[in-house]
Amino acid sequence: MRRSFRWWAASTAAVAGMLATTAVSPAQEPLDVLLTNDDGHAAPTLAVLKQALTAAGHRVTVVAPCDDQSGSGTELSSNYATGEPTRENTIEAKRLAPDVWAVCGSPGDAVLFGVQNVFAADPPDVVVSGVNPGQNSGAVANHSGTVGATVASGELAIPAIAVSVEIDVSTDPPQVGSAPAAAEYATRLLDQLRSTSNGGPLLPRHIALNINYPVAAEVAGTRVTSTGRAAFVRPQYEPTDLCPDCYVIRPAFDTSPDPVADSDNNALAADHVSVTPLDGDWTADERVRSSIRQRLGALRP
């Protein structure tokens, strides 16, 4: 481990050691992949992922934002037209190459546009989002455009995976994980999902996988994890002389252990790849809902 504090995350490496192949099996047809991200269609880390997926034999079509949409979360455009189209209630989408579309909206917009227009005849087999430079783990995942794209896909019952590499902010300068290694891992993971799907969907209905690849030179393995509560970075608002009501936004970093024992954050800290299944449902569990139900009692509108 690269960090000195005690980690108690229990390993649930149900898929560890299973990702042994790097290319599409001759018995398997290529997948139709909608590739997106939140850094923009021209991001070099997206190109790395496209190259890995294409080298594995898959048919990859990029449908990604025009520009950087980091932190856009699950945002979707809602400036709906109530009359004639105007610049305020339209969205621009340009076909830059036979296999590249730039959608001037959020990652979620890109996914919905891609499914409705680019893949109008048949939906993609899978939506892949990334590679994001910086982990989308713990509370950060809630605000991630990389993850938000997979939430939009999951709502449509299309399998999806988000791929991010860890940034270790404890070093100076911070270390960033290997995007090529993460892309190669994601490609093998897709192949593994297909080989274990028994001819069915890659993932259960409405499920996406949030993959975070560690910065470690030697990766210890894979853990299937829960989304943690800690955030390695949050915005901090500080007064500035720019204007009387202005506050400058700076990053506030936190490398404390995550309170969720089997969390994605703790897996990364132990140099494991974190794979977190997401269902897009933020509803609290039945124990919490039952407690709220009892506390509300006979409350009437």
Side-chain angles (χ1 to χ4, degrees), residues 73-129:
T74 57
E75 176 185 347
L76 294 174
S77 293
S78 59
N79 48 331
Y80 303 122
T82 56
E84 292 298 317
T86 67
R87 297 296 294 179
E88 287 70 34
N89 58 34
T90 56
I91 190 170
E92 290 189 23
K94 304 174 184 178
R95 191 175 190 178
L96 304 179
D99 59 351
V100 178
W101 284 79
V103 178
C104 297
S106 70
D109 286 325
V111 169
L112 292 188
F113 178 89
V115 171
Q116 294 172 12
N117 296 276
V118 182
F119 288 86
D122 288 296
D125 295 310
V126 63
V127 169
V128 180
S129 182

